[in-house]
Amino acid sequence: MSQKPEDRTPLCIAPFVSLAVWADGESVICCEDKGPQAGRLGLVDDMSGLVNSEKMRSARRQFLRGEVPAGCRACLDEATRQPTVHTYYQEKFNWRDVAEAYDETTGDVSRTQYLLIALSNLCTYSCRMCFDKLSTRLNSDRHRMLGVEPVGYRRNDIDKVISFIRANPIRIVTFHGGNPINEPRFLDVLNELSDDVSVEIISNGSTLTSGKVDIRPYLSRFGHVHFNISLDGTRRTTEYVRMHSDFDDVFRHFTEIKSLPNTTVNLHNTITNLNLFDLPAYYTMALSGKFADADSISSYIATVPAVHRISTLPPELRQLARERIEDFLHGLGDAGGTTPKDAYDYKANNARAYARNVLHRIDSVPYSPLLFAEFLDLTRRTDAFYGVDPLPEYSDYLAPDASGAPDVSDASGSSGPPRASSSPSSASQPVAPDAVAAKGVVVSHPAPEPAEGLQVLAGPCPYVGQRFFRVSECVYAWNAAYFQNCTAVTVRIQLNPDAGITPDTMAALRKTWETGIENKWSNHFVCAGPYGTSTITVDVQWVTSSPHHVVRVRQGPAQSNMTTWDTSDTGDVAAHEFGHMLGNPDEYTDANCPSRNPVNTGTVMDNNTGPALQRHVNRICVSAPLAAEVFSIGLDLI
């Protein structure tokens, strides 16, 4: 006889008690869920449709069977080394108290006790490691700096949120964002909560005013308020990482909110390669310095965007980071599992766990010079945009003549001169204004040839989002662009035929070209990682708006390049030009490029009819963030 649900304990209780909704309306199991979304708030009549989506039902069944959904593996693994969101759920919720709300037959739950909600994406900071959709200020800056797609102000359907609160026995509400206090309707939602609800606010500490209203009197009626201030280092580092921030303002607001008798304050930092070297000073400040009155501390080691992972560092910087953190741990001492006596001991124990986990993660993957070059290029451009000096640990690498850090910010290169129509085509310069990052950071970097052979992933799945980067080879330069969902690659191409080319001709060409491209590039290669392998698939979509690439189609035979095809082009020619769209240079002999290497390879990038190779797609595995990006920004709530 099978056990009843109440007689079993799930590996994680999160999908049985909670719902998390991001600033763009996407819902997930919890703030650490790295899997696909469970639904979108704007597409359901009420939020119960998200709570009992197929993903949520499936996750409940898996956790009860002792299985871990793919998007949850990293969190449960991390929980073995440091406190995580999984730890938070285990401490806050008792399975026997909620099991009766679970329907074993349908997989549905009838009551939700915990709501984690972003009301909007309003935020006044531009944090370097954050994502464009989470901050209006960041997106505005990146639109001007990097050309990313303008997002603007986006607010979730707050009336649906209020209805959901009224219909459920909510015990805990966590507000995140953006900065939730910036949202004008923040107090509308706060006023719907019962006095006995525990209110948690994840804030950047920039303000205690929503609109023109001080929120502190509204917080005072609750039994408990947990105020989480994101602070990524001591003054210099915080103001460098969190552009437009004011360290003194944050401390003032920290002091003011700390004075509320019903409020505890947590300091949270997202650990990246930007604040890694400041980590010992930051923990010291939180334990016994300026922010010593904090009730608790928490840390999250960022996995996305990949350019800001601590594992991007070259060996000499990894060693420097290890030495500083080991010195800090030596000075802090080893508590050896003793029971914390006070807030200091509790914070010190957490600092030890987080610091040790950082040491574990620094060398978690092999050093990638390409990824470090992306980081340096993005950092150089960001520093120049804001007019700030680099962090001292990177100043030598960012110097104009620094070796190993090529200056790739010049986007003014041009395509090569015309060639005979019988030659394979060279890459041109597509101008694809809509080929921008919907998620994560757009970076510009050179595209050196990836290593031959299967590329090993450092995470469960590659990047989810738009890829857009500058490629420069010899005298040629162009933009590569595509959408990547794990290892499924979609390229949107807009074909603009010259006058006189009939719709029937275009229909036949689309079929020929799509077949040629997908036969050459799709379902032949894989990315491999600790959670198995994933086949790279390619989908060509002919579109009339929002293209990655715009291609003129003219009468042939004529010379073709990446942005100009002709009616005589075969599927093999289209497959060659498509290779440029993915970021691959030509591999044939060219008098303009006497030092080209590799050359005369017999591949699709050499003579059109040849095959594509694993090395032609390895950037899909290694040059993008190697974890599904679902806007997990380290909202550690403990």
Side-chain angles (χ1 to χ4, degrees), residues 76-202:
L76 268 67
D77 174 67
E78 202 83 337
T80 64
R81 294 187 294 275
Q82 68 172 45
T84 66
V85 169
H86 175 69
T87 312
Y88 173 86
Y89 277 94
Q90 298 302 103
E91 292 176 349
K92 293 290 185 181
F93 300 98
N94 187 303
W95 169 241
R96 291 193 173 276
D97 294 338
V98 302
E100 62 179 294
Y102 175 62
D103 187 320
E104 177 89 1
T105 302
T106 64
D108 289 352
V109 295
S110 57
R111 299 191 303 272
T112 298
Q113 296 189 21
Y114 178 28
L115 175 63
L116 190 147
I117 182 75
L119 301 178
S120 72
N121 64 343
L122 279 178
C123 186
T124 57
Y125 285 2
S126 293
C127 302
R128 293 175 183 240
M129 70 294 182
C130 195
F131 305 108
D132 305 318
K133 286 187 177 180
L134 295 181
S135 167
T136 47
R137 185 66 176 273
L138 175 68
N139 180 255
S140 175
D141 285 356
R142 285 185 176 159
H143 174 60
R144 290 182 293 129
M145 175 173 53
L146 300 171
V148 303
E149 179 183 16
V151 173
Y153 169 42
R154 292 186 176 180
R155 181 165 67 192
N156 274 316
D157 191 329
I158 291 179
D159 291 331
K160 288 180 184 177
V161 176
I162 290 174
S163 296
F164 185 74
I165 289 172
R166 291 173 177 173
N168 284 274
I170 301 294
R171 286 177 43 207
I172 304 172
V173 173
T174 296
F175 294 98
H176 65 97
N179 182 25
I181 303 172
N182 291 139
E183 167 52 44
R185 293 199 65 187
F186 170 70
L187 290 178
D188 291 349
V189 179
L190 197 69
N191 288 336
E192 292 292 331
L193 302 173
S194 302
D195 292 354
D196 58 353
V197 170
S198 178
V199 175
E200 302 183 340
I201 299 172
I202 299 173

Side-chain angles (χ1 to χ4, degrees), residues 212-246:
K212 296 183 179 181
V213 181
D214 188 336
I215 68 170
R216 286 175 292 174
Y218 293 84
L219 297 177
S220 62
R221 71 179 175 90
F222 296 103
H224 181 242
V225 174
H226 188 70
F227 204 89
N228 190 93
I229 294 180
S230 298
L231 191 71
D232 284 318
T234 54
R235 180 188 303 273
R236 161 73 165 117
T237 303
T238 288
E239 293 185 347
Y240 179 84
V241 173
R242 296 178 167 267
M243 301 308 304
H244 309 299
S245 68
D246 186 313

Side-chain angles (χ1 to χ4, degrees), residues 477-558:
W478 67 100
N479 292 332
Y482 47 88
F483 179 83
Q484 182 176 341
N485 182 357
C486 197
T487 51
V489 174
T490 301
V491 183
R492 300 190 302 273
I493 303 174
Q494 180 174 325
L495 299 176
N496 294 336
D498 283 359
I501 301 178
T502 67
D504 287 346
T505 297
M506 288 303 303
L509 289 173
R510 283 193 292 269
K511 182 176 180 180
T512 296
W513 292 341
E514 182 174 353
T515 300
I517 291 169
E518 294 183 358
N519 284 348
K520 191 87 70 173
W521 292 97
S522 190
N523 288 299
H524 299 304
F525 314 105
V526 298
C527 298
Y531 303 103
T533 60
S534 183
T535 300
I536 297 174
T537 61
V538 167
D539 178 27
V540 175
Q541 296 182 356
W542 310 114
V543 299
T544 58
S545 62
S546 299
H548 291 117
H549 304 278
V550 178
V551 176
R552 174 194 172 195
V553 181
R554 60 184 176 180
Q555 290 287 353

Side-chain angles (χ1 to χ4, degrees), residues 208-354:
L208 296 178
T209 301
S210 184
K212 296 183 179 181
V213 181
D214 188 336
I215 68 170
R216 286 175 292 174
Y218 293 84
L219 297 177
S220 62
R221 71 179 175 90
F222 296 103
H224 181 242
V225 174
H226 188 70
F227 204 89
N228 190 93
I229 294 180
S230 298
L231 191 71
D232 284 318
T234 54
R235 180 188 303 273
R236 161 73 165 117
T237 303
T238 288
E239 293 185 347
Y240 179 84
V241 173
R242 296 178 167 267
M243 301 308 304
H244 309 299
S245 68
D246 186 313
F247 189 82
D248 291 331
D249 270 355
V250 174
F251 181 68
R252 176 166 56 85
H253 295 136
F254 164 81
T255 303
E256 291 172 350
I257 200 70
K258 186 72 175 65
S259 67
L260 295 180
N262 65 334
T263 301
T264 57
V265 181
N266 178 70
L267 291 184
H268 177 81
N269 68 324
T270 299
I271 301 173
T272 68
N273 50 15
L274 293 169
N275 64 351
L276 175 64
F277 299 99
D278 191 47
L279 202 58
Y282 166 80
Y283 284 142
T284 300
M285 179 183 71
L287 291 171
S288 55
K290 193 176 184 71
F291 284 85
D293 287 339
D295 296 282
S296 59
I297 60 173
S298 60
S299 294
Y300 168 81
I301 303 177
T303 57
V304 288
V307 292
H308 287 310
R309 289 186 188 145
I310 60 176
S311 57
T312 60
L313 302 180
E316 65 274 13
L317 287 180
R318 294 187 186 199
Q319 181 60 29
L320 177 62
R322 279 195 301 270
E323 290 173 356
R324 291 191 184 179
I325 294 171
E326 288 168 353
D327 286 346
F328 165 73
L329 286 171
H330 178 75
L332 187 60
D334 191 341
T338 60
T339 302
K341 299 186 295 294
D342 51 28
Y344 175 90
D345 280 357
Y346 178 72
K347 290 188 292 183
N349 278 352
N350 281 353
R352 292 183 186 95
Y354 297 133

